[in-house]
Amino acid sequence: MLRSIIICPNHELAARLTTAVSETGVVTVGRTLLGYPNATDLVRTLRAQTPEVIFLSFESLEQALAVVKFVEAEAQGLQIIAVHHQLDPKLLRESMRAGVREFIADPFERGTLMEALATAKALLEKNPPAYETTSQIFAFLPSKAGAGTSTIALNVSAAMSRRPNTRVMLSDFDLNSGMMRFMLKLQNEYSVTDAVENALRLDENLWPSLVTTLQGLDVLHAGRVNPSLRIEGPQIRSLIDFMRRNYQVLCFDLSGNLERYSIEIMQECKRVLLVCTPEIPSLHLAREKMVYLKHFELDSRVSVVLNRHQKKAVFSKEQVEEILGVPVLRTFPNDYQGVNHAMTAGSFVEPGTELGKAYTQFAHELIERRGSGPVEGGKRKFLDMFASVSSRGLASGGK
């Protein structure tokens, strides 16, 4: 079935066209716009509905031609079928000059409509429409609970959203202990659960009710604790596809439990940010997760973020890199008061503070950075010492 939308300011004509199109059995109408949309509304509709065919009324030649020009720039290959209440030779010539191959007129006879759709289908097979999607997808993965991953995910996402013309989506996929709703004092009852359950039918009308926008950042919280929720692969992929068409940057705050859906999300990511602290249990689990992610060929996408780093930490940045075998992409200082103040206010860490500046700089680097590989070599003596100490610490019940 071909996906289509109708743009027609004449309500009666639009109704007759919808009936005729539906009766063909070869095309579905996802949305009917009873007026010529502006650029913002049109791009939102196109990216939500991903139509293959647009039935475009030429009741207003000027506005119709503007839509044709915009569609060509937004989604090459998208087929447009001109519509009018009569077969007007002048409009036919103008539509053809604009590159519109098919023109149908009321009463929309089945044979004529099927011919137009057959032509559109043949062209689509050669050149399907390509909608712009983002590759800027980041997952924040804790080495262990309490590493401060949600705080980093939130504030880096907020810093990204402050960049000009950058729509950012932050999704909390920690379904057992997600913190975004609490940290931001969100009142929206809809959550990731609702987004997942409706993943195959998301559109530009449903989506705004699921997310909460704070200072330009869209947030989808985890909702109430729901460990029994099953998320299937097609649901996650459909949800991410929808997000990729509608945002410049996607950020996912994961639980660290490495659920199947978390692996699915990380496989879509440009970079997986493994957050740890300079402590033995955290570094031990970070290394264990690196090994596990290698089974899914995700190790090349993993970068380490060292949180709550202090000058007199037990392990230096260089030692952490040696332990984990990958560079530490960024260190963040410990600012308990600043983080606590932001959480109390239900907002972000102040951008002007030392920690806030670090978040902003990291946000810019993430979007512009191409990648980094594992640390080469390493001093075995120190690694052996760490393995020994790590084993003793864990055996004694250290958390």
Side-chain angles (χ1 to χ4, degrees):
M1 297 279 281
L2 296 176
R3 300 183 304 274
S4 76
I5 63 171
I6 294 174
I7 301 176
C8 181
N10 185 319
H11 293 207
E12 294 180 358
L13 187 67
R16 290 195 292 274
L17 176 60
T18 300
T19 300
V21 168
S22 300
E23 289 177 349
T24 65
V26 299
V27 62
T28 60
V29 178
R31 179 76 66 233
T32 298
L33 303 180
L34 299 175
Y36 294 102
N38 58 37
T40 301
D41 290 339
L42 182 54
V43 72
R44 185 179 295 121
T45 299
L46 292 179
R47 292 183 180 181
Q49 298 293 328
T50 61
E52 297 163 290
V53 177
I54 295 180
F55 293 95
L56 176 61
S57 170
F58 270 68
E59 183 173 329
S60 168
L61 176 61
E62 181 180 358
Q63 293 185 80
L65 292 178
V67 170
V68 172
K69 185 176 181 179
F70 183 86
V71 167
E72 288 179 346
E74 178 66 23
Q76 293 184 359
L78 179 55
Q79 297 301 303
I80 297 177
I81 298 177
V83 176
H84 201 250
H85 60 81
Q86 64 180 3
L87 194 58
D88 186 314
K90 179 183 177 181
L91 291 178
L92 179 59
R93 288 195 301 271
E94 292 297 331
S95 66
M96 291 181 67
R97 286 175 182 170
V100 179
R101 294 174 176 267
E102 298 296 323
F103 193 112
I104 59 175
D106 199 16
F108 309 121
E109 295 179 355
R110 180 180 175 84
T112 303
L113 187 53
M114 292 298 289
E115 287 182 11
L117 290 172
T119 300
K121 187 175 182 180
L123 293 170
L124 286 167
E125 289 175 351
K126 295 179 181 179
N127 183 30
Y131 290 94
E132 182 179 353
T133 60
T134 187
S135 62
Q136 303 288 345
I137 308 176
F138 305 98
F140 294 80
L141 179 71
S143 62
K144 66 182 292 292
T149 307
S150 294
T151 298
I152 293 174
L154 172 60
N155 286 282
V156 170
S157 298
M160 289 174 171
S161 71
R162 290 193 288 268
R163 290 169 62 100
N165 303 314
T166 305
R167 291 193 70 203
V168 181
M169 178 73 233
L170 171 61
S171 302
D172 187 349
F173 268 81
D174 185 349
L175 303 183
N176 293 319
S177 53
M179 291 294 294
M180 291 303 166
R181 185 170 67 157
F182 171 75
M183 292 170 68
L184 295 173
K185 304 184 185 304
L186 303 180
Q187 301 300 316
N188 192 341
E189 288 300 318
Y190 295 114
S191 67
V192 162
T193 300
D194 301 284
V196 168
E197 291 177 347
N198 292 280
L200 302 180
R201 62 183 189 90
L202 290 172
D203 60 27
E204 71 278 22
N205 294 325
L206 176 59
W207 185 250
S209 67
L210 301 178
V211 302
T212 302
T213 303
L214 294 170
Q215 301 178 37
L217 173 66
D218 280 6
V219 180
L220 180 64
H221 67 73
R224 301 187 184 282
V225 174
N226 189 9
S228 63
L229 177 66
R230 292 182 58 86
I231 302 179
E232 303 297 336
Q235 291 175 309
I236 247 333
R237 288 189 291 273
S238 182
L239 177 60
I240 292 178
D241 285 346
F242 179 87
M243 292 178 174
R244 290 180 66 180
R245 294 192 301 269
N246 288 277
Y247 294 90
Q248 280 74 46
V249 183
L250 306 181
C251 295
F252 293 90
D253 184 18
L254 304 180
S255 71
N257 293 328
L258 301 174
E259 307 92 342
R260 192 169 184 176
Y261 65 79
S262 292
I263 298 297
E264 292 267 4
I265 290 172
M266 287 187 278
Q267 287 174 334
E268 297 288 336
C269 287
K270 174 181 179 181
R271 188 176 291 277
V272 177
L273 301 162
L274 180 58
V275 180
C276 63
T277 56
E279 300 160 335
I280 290 174
S282 182
L283 294 175
H284 167 74
L285 289 174
R287 193 163 64 170
E288 289 291 305
K289 288 180 179 178
M290 288 286 296
V291 172
Y292 183 77
L293 292 175
K294 191 171 185 178
H295 292 304
F296 298 92
E297 300 181 348
L298 287 168
D299 52 310
S300 63
R301 305 185 196 186
V302 178
S303 297
V304 173
V305 173
L306 188 59
N307 197 26
R308 302 176 191 142
H309 183 255
Q310 303 178 47
K311 291 182 179 180
K312 295 184 179 181
V314 176
F315 298 105
S316 68
K317 173 177 175 288
E318 292 73 22
Q319 289 173 324
V320 170
E321 290 179 331
E322 190 177 339
I323 292 167
L324 300 180
V326 293
V328 171
L329 193 63
R330 165 65 62 170
T331 63
F332 289 111
N334 191 17
D335 184 0
Y336 175 80
Q337 289 186 340
V339 171
N340 188 61
H341 176 76
M343 194 176 300
T344 302
S347 188
F348 315 127
V349 170
E350 288 292 334
T353 64
E354 180 186 358
L355 184 57
K357 291 177 181 178
Y359 288 140
T360 299
Q361 184 179 3
F362 188 47
H364 295 339
E365 289 178 356
L366 276 181
I367 293 178
E368 296 165 1
R369 188 184 295 269
R370 291 186 174 274
S372 55
V375 172
E376 298 294 336
K379 300 177 181 178
R380 294 303 311 168
K381 184 176 179 181
F382 179 75
L383 286 176
D384 293 340
M385 177 274 290
F386 171 79
S388 175
V389 174
S390 175
S391 298
R392 292 197 303 272
L394 293 174
S396 64
K399 293 184 179 180

